[in-house]
Amino acid sequence: MARKTAQDDPLAPVTIAVGQEDLLLDRAVQQVVAAARAADADTDVRDLTPEQLQPGTLAELTSPSLFAERKVVVVRAAQDLSADTIKDVKAYLGSPAEEITLVLLHAGGAKGKGLLDAARKAGAREVACPKMTKPADRLAFVRGEFRATGRSATPEACQSLVDAIGSDLRELASACSQLAADVEGTIDEAVVARYYTGRAEASSFTVADRAVEGRAAEALEALRWAIATGVAPVMITSALAQGVRAIGKLASAPRGARPGDLARDLGMPPWKIDRVRQQMRGWSADGVATALRAVAAADAGVKGGGDDPGYALEKAVVAIARAARSR
């Protein structure tokens, strides 16, 4: 069956995602995988590093199947492929297989440029994933995130969010998603100030990340900065709960499952799967249970069940950090 090769068709035979912005690269992959699984729920996804794609591997992965299964083959850091493997990929570009979508993630630049040029010449669909180094680019990204959720945000709110969160696109995307979910009506500067005023590193997400990594001192420092600069305590408990629950979800997932499958089954983006895997190394099942109880107690404390929300949060952060080292 012939397939479209238009630039807007995620099921084009070959997609090249070019740039160094990890979030955008991951999203380019997610878009292709989602389109493939919409066409065939049993689509097989193979996500490979340069070390895993040896000479001959691509031919094996793209050889005809008796069952004519749809497949997505993702090659990360394609600029680092060996010379022999690049020859294999270039040969494949000239005659891509039916029902298979090849996704090449390439950093751009001079290294591996021959492969990039060959893919473009072959008519590959291209997705730009540039590193967003300019404030204006990050501001445009935030506006796009709110538009994608169907929410309205004032220009001042978008700028305030960039000022508060900083340059991390993943954090910006998470903040946009959280505001869109939690706030009714137009998102304005006052809303952003209430949730995220202060240094970027004092955000609720940073407090949660340091706590679940077992870095108690850093988590407490981030917590005190967050409280001092006006971050709502309820947002911090929400972030702590999300962090601990993510640990629990991934810990109970089947061992050996592919990141793409885990992302779908657990409702997390692939980048978060990778981050949580790193964070969960010291956790045990008892530790997760202890941390969840600590979060519940803090949540009650910041919602009127205690006299000092800050103290309730400090207790939770310390308990979570200790639980992170319970294995």
Side-chain angles (χ1 to χ4, degrees):
M1 180 178 66
R3 294 185 298 186
K4 295 186 294 183
T5 57
Q7 287 293 307
D8 61 352
D9 179 15
L11 291 183
V14 180
T15 287
I16 49 174
V18 185
Q20 299 180 42
E21 184 54 67
D22 290 341
L23 175 64
L24 301 182
L25 291 168
D26 284 345
R27 285 185 172 180
V29 173
Q30 291 169 28
Q31 183 187 32
V32 172
V33 171
R37 287 191 165 141
D40 181 353
D42 295 325
T43 295
D44 182 21
V45 179
R46 303 296 180 92
D47 199 321
L48 307 170
T49 63
E51 294 75 21
Q52 293 171 314
L53 193 69
Q54 296 297 314
T57 303
L58 184 61
E60 293 177 11
L61 292 173
T62 58
S63 60
S65 167
L66 291 175
F67 303 101
E69 65 178 352
R70 184 178 290 276
K71 187 179 294 183
V72 175
V73 178
V74 180
V75 180
R76 297 187 180 271
Q79 72 279 356
D80 295 330
L81 292 171
S82 68
D84 288 339
T85 303
I86 287 177
K87 290 180 182 178
D88 287 352
V89 177
K90 286 182 176 179
Y92 177 82
L93 293 173
S95 183
E98 290 289 336
E99 303 300 322
I100 292 177
T101 300
L102 176 64
V103 184
L104 301 174
L105 307 189
H106 194 292
K111 188 176 182 181
K113 188 174 182 297
L115 176 58
L116 201 54
D117 291 343
R120 286 168 172 157
K121 186 175 180 181
R125 169 178 174 263
E126 183 167 349
V127 180
C129 304
K131 201 76 175 175
M132 294 192 181
T133 57
K134 297 179 181 178
D137 292 337
R138 295 192 288 273
L139 184 60
F141 173 79
V142 167
R143 290 171 177 160
E145 290 295 289
F146 284 125
R147 282 197 300 270
T149 63
R151 299 301 308 278
S152 175
T154 66
E156 295 80 10
C158 294
Q159 184 63 63
S160 294
L161 194 59
V162 171
D163 292 342
I165 300 297
S167 60
D168 190 320
L169 244 58
R170 296 192 192 282
E171 297 287 356
L172 284 170
S174 294
C176 291
S177 176
Q178 191 163 37
L179 286 171
D182 292 351
V183 178
E184 295 182 359
T186 299
I187 297 166
D188 59 19
E189 188 175 12
V191 169
V192 175
R194 187 165 71 248
Y195 279 63
Y196 296 106
T197 296
R199 301 187 331 178
E201 57 267 37
S203 75
S204 55
F205 301 110
T206 302
V207 177
D209 282 342
R210 299 300 172 266
V212 299
E213 290 162 4
R215 297 156 66 179
E218 293 177 43
L220 287 171
E221 180 185 9
L223 171 64
R224 287 160 188 159
W225 265 105
I227 292 173
T229 53
V231 177
V234 68
M235 293 303 302
I236 300 173
T237 55
S238 175
L240 290 171
Q242 290 180 44
V244 175
R245 286 174 188 147
I247 297 288
K249 283 183 179 180
L250 194 56
S252 61
R255 291 186 177 275
R258 293 193 294 264
D261 294 335
L262 286 173
R264 184 190 68 244
D265 295 339
L266 301 181
M268 298 181 195
W271 66 263
K272 190 168 184 178
I273 296 289
D274 293 336
R275 174 180 289 183
V276 175
R277 272 182 171 159
Q278 295 175 357
Q279 293 174 334
M280 65 183 287
R281 290 171 183 165
W283 284 86
S284 66
D286 288 342
V288 172
T290 298
L292 287 173
R293 288 194 293 270
V295 171
D299 189 56
V302 303
K303 291 179 178 176
D307 296 329
D308 187 345
Y311 178 66
L313 286 169
E314 286 187 4
K315 284 180 62 179
V317 164
V318 171
I320 292 168
R322 286 176 178 167
R325 302 183 181 277
S326 58
R327 178 176 294 178

